[in-house]
Each structure stands twice: as C-alpha cells, then as structure tokens.
Amino acid sequence: MLYIFFWSLFITVIERQGLATWSEFLIRFLGRFIQDVLIVMPSLYLIDYLRPTFKKASTLSVSIRVVLLLMFASIVATTFVLLIMVNMGWMSYHPREFILSLLFDTLCTGGFTLIFLLYFLRIYRELNALRLSFEYKLATQNDLIKARIAPHFFFNTLNTLVSLMESNPAKAASLLQHVSALFRASFTGAHEISFEEEIALCEHYLEIEASRLADKLEVSWQLPDEDIMYDMVITALTLQSVLEKMLINVVEMTTETIHIDIKVTWQSHRVTITIGVELPQKTLIINHDLRQHMDFYIQAERLRAYFGHDSDIKSVVTNAQIITVIDYPLQDVGL
C-alpha cells in the first residue's frame, strides 16, 4: 500500500497542470490512489491464485500474461474511477481527454509492470543461484562426510577393535588412538592444515587399515626436507581421501601385496603430490571400473576453493598402475 500511495502521488504531481486548487489536487490524488489499488490488489490476488498454472509455463509466457493482466485491470479500474468522478461532478467529461487518460494509464501500467518484472526476475535468479549453490555445497559436504567415513570403513574398524580387545588389548588401545585422531579431523570440516598434519592423518588412517589388511599393503614416502615441509599447507584429508579410494578399489579387491609410492615436491611455487599404485598381476581388476572410481572432483573443488582455479587432481589408469597427481599453487613465503 505504501508503494501505491507514493506512486499515486507521483502520477498526480505529473498531471497537476489544470488543477487550480489544492482541493482539486486532493480529489485527483484520491481518485488515482483508488484506481491504483483497484489495479494492483485484485491482480495480485489473481496472480497468486493462478500460481500453480504459472509454474508449468515458461518465464516469457508468464511475464506476458502478467503484463496483459495488469493492463486489462488498468483499463477496467481507470474507466470505473473516471466515470465515478464525472458523475460526482469532480471532473468534466471530454471524450478525447477520457480516451487519452485511459491510454496513458494503461501504457504506464504495462511499462512499469514490465520494469518490476525484470527487477524481480533478476532477484529471483540471484536467489535461485544462491539456493542452488547452497544445495550444491550441502550435497558436496554430505558426499565429503560419506567419503571421509565410509560405512564399510566404520564397521570394519569397529570389528577390528572388538577382535583386538580380546586378543591384543594394547594394540586395540593404540588403534583406538588412531581412530580418534582421524575422526576428530573428519568432523572439523574443510579447512587448511599444515602438510605435516595431513601426513599424520594419512599415517593414522594407514595404521587403522594395516591392522585389517595385514601384509597386503606397502607404502613408501618421498617427502621434502623438514624445513621445507614446515611451510607447506593443504586442505585437510585431501591426500587421505585419495589413499582411501586406492585401498577400497585396489587393495581390498586382491589377495596380492599392493605397493603405493607417494612423492611430494614443492618447486616453482607449486606443490605436486604423485601417488603411484601398482596393480596386481594375477588378480583381475577391470580398468574401466577403476577409471570410474578414480574421480576426485570433490577433493579438487576443495583445493580450488583454497588455492585457486589452477589446482587439480588427475588420475591415469593403465594396465600396470594408477598414477594420481595432486597439483596446486603454493607461494613460498621464504623467498
């Protein structure tokens, strides 16, 4: 109603020529206000009533219908108000002025309805983009949590703990510490941590899995010097989640010992982590299925959020091995 009030006042001021006294101005303003109320309020109620029908139509079709609806309401309301004012003696009737006034009000209504529709369409698109972004981030975080604590990993770890509590309580206590450290990091959300912390989380994870996989897994590390690695950072659980996929899709699918080589370099302001996995020679693994599972889109998106759009995680699967490269820019603060 406040918008209608000021809009009516604005139009009345524009049409003030020919209004000799304040009483004429107030009468014309009151007529304009009633006219705009009769245009807007019934139209909005009708649009709300037709909302289920509009949802099935295209944006262009709905916009045209709304503009035509408001223009038709303008013709009806303007005619009604002008005839009342003529009958009350508040204004004289001249066919030419009557038609021009009717035409002017109809075109103004259609034009400003179109402007408001464009404005609300832009707002709607921004809100919709925000909603989709929120839903995507929510889905990503949900997938990330599932990736961090896969159900089979959770239950396998519990089963291992239960068996060790009876046979080797000391080892069970040590394993429980590894589980606690890994789960604590999992629930802190996506954040940037030192590279040393990420390696510690990977070692916690590998220690947990080693208690179950026994001699099926061998991991070798090629790391930079401690003074170099001290300044390195990475998003939490990025390397751990890559190793987790390797164990799920390779190590658990064979009876042979799998060798995983991890090499980390930091040169020319870029960190490159190469994870090489030797595929089993005797146990059959279908490479096509492996290529489908070697998807690190979520981890790569997290890297890009912290280190820029040229961060990436790529994986190449051959008959003999899987080579996965984590690559992202990192400025050397010491230079």
Side-chain angles (χ1 to χ4, degrees):
M1 296 298 289
L2 192 61
Y3 282 115
I4 296 175
F5 175 85
F6 283 106
W7 171 249
S8 302
L9 182 62
F10 172 72
I11 295 297
T12 307
V13 170
I14 292 177
E15 298 176 333
R16 69 184 182 279
Q17 289 83 6
L19 302 178
T21 63
W22 277 104
S23 60
E24 292 180 357
F25 180 85
L26 291 176
I27 290 172
R28 183 65 60 87
F29 168 69
L30 180 61
R32 171 65 62 178
F33 179 75
I34 295 173
Q35 173 185 324
D36 291 337
V37 169
L38 292 176
I39 293 172
V40 175
M41 301 308 294
S43 299
L44 291 180
Y45 280 111
L46 185 58
I47 290 171
D48 184 67
Y49 177 77
L50 296 174
R51 190 190 306 175
T53 305
F54 287 163
K55 285 183 178 180
K56 301 176 183 178
S58 64
T59 303
L60 179 61
S61 175
V62 172
S63 301
I64 293 174
R65 294 178 187 180
V66 170
V67 171
L68 293 177
L69 175 63
L70 267 296
M71 291 179 70
F72 176 77
S74 175
I75 293 173
V76 174
T78 303
T79 303
F80 176 74
V81 171
L82 289 178
L83 289 177
I84 289 180
M85 294 181 69
V86 169
N87 290 330
M88 296 291 293
W90 291 341
M91 63 179 295
S92 58
Y93 175 75
H94 300 286
R96 184 173 176 274
E97 293 182 4
F98 186 90
I99 294 174
L100 288 176
S101 179
L102 189 64
L103 182 62
F104 173 77
D105 290 340
T106 304
L107 291 178
C108 280
T109 301
F112 279 94
T113 301
L114 185 60
I115 292 173
F116 275 106
L117 281 177
L118 291 175
Y119 172 76
F120 285 117
L121 182 61
R122 183 174 67 86
I123 298 297
Y124 169 76
R125 286 177 175 173
E126 290 177 356
L127 291 176
N128 194 47
L130 186 63
R131 179 182 62 82
L132 292 176
S133 175
F134 175 76
E135 290 178 355
Y136 169 76
K137 289 180 180 179
L138 188 63
T140 300
Q141 290 297 326
N142 192 35
D143 291 341
L144 184 59
I145 292 173
K146 291 179 181 178
R148 290 178 184 172
I149 310 176
H152 81 280
F153 170 71
F154 178 74
F155 290 113
N156 286 339
T157 303
L158 287 181
N159 292 333
T160 303
L161 283 170
V162 170
S163 62
L164 287 175
M165 283 179 184
E166 298 179 357
S167 60
N168 194 339
K171 189 174 181 180
S174 176
L175 181 61
L176 194 56
Q177 291 179 350
H178 293 303
V179 172
S180 175
L182 184 61
F183 275 47
R184 188 181 300 112
S186 299
F187 286 111
T188 54
H191 63 291
E192 185 182 289
I193 63 174
S194 70
F195 203 83
E196 292 176 335
E197 290 179 278
E198 177 69 5
I199 292 175
L201 291 175
C202 291
E203 289 176 344
H204 286 307
Y205 173 72
L206 292 172
E207 284 292 334
I208 296 170
E209 293 291 56
S211 62
R212 182 174 59 88
L213 298 172
D215 298 329
K216 290 174 57 179
L217 177 64
E218 291 183 359
V219 180
S220 61
W221 296 84
Q222 298 181 53
L223 301 174
D225 295 335
E226 289 186 3
D227 56 341
I228 296 177
M229 198 165 58
Y230 179 80
D231 294 325
M232 295 173 63
V233 292
I234 191 173
T235 47
L237 299 171
T238 297
L239 180 55
Q240 182 273 333
S241 59
V242 172
L243 293 177
E244 183 176 3
K245 280 201 175 186
M246 301 301 178
L247 267 65
I248 292 173
N249 295 289
V250 179
V251 180
E252 292 187 0
M253 298 299 169
T254 181
T255 57
E256 301 177 42
T257 300
I258 300 299
H259 300 272
I260 300 179
D261 295 316
I262 305 170
K263 182 180 180 181
V264 181
T265 59
W266 187 16
Q267 296 178 346
S268 301
H269 307 301
R270 295 197 72 85
V271 174
T272 303
I273 308 170
T274 305
I275 304 102
V277 180
E278 296 180 6
L279 295 180
Q281 301 298 318
K282 298 177 183 178
T283 308
L284 179 64
I285 292 183
I286 302 175
N287 290 338
H288 177 68
D289 291 337
L290 278 177
R291 291 189 184 96
Q292 288 182 336
H293 289 101
M294 293 299 108
D295 176 21
F296 302 104
Y297 177 77
I298 295 174
Q299 292 84 349
E301 283 296 308
R302 294 172 67 231
L303 272 179
R304 294 187 188 103
Y306 282 87
F307 300 106
H309 293 291
D310 55 345
S311 306
D312 202 2
I313 303 178
K314 295 182 179 179
S315 191
V316 177
V317 181
T318 66
N319 292 328
Q321 62 181 353
I322 303 174
I323 300 295
T324 302
V325 179
I326 304 173
D327 180 70
Y328 59 96
L330 183 63
Q331 198 73 20
D332 191 344
V333 294
L335 295 179

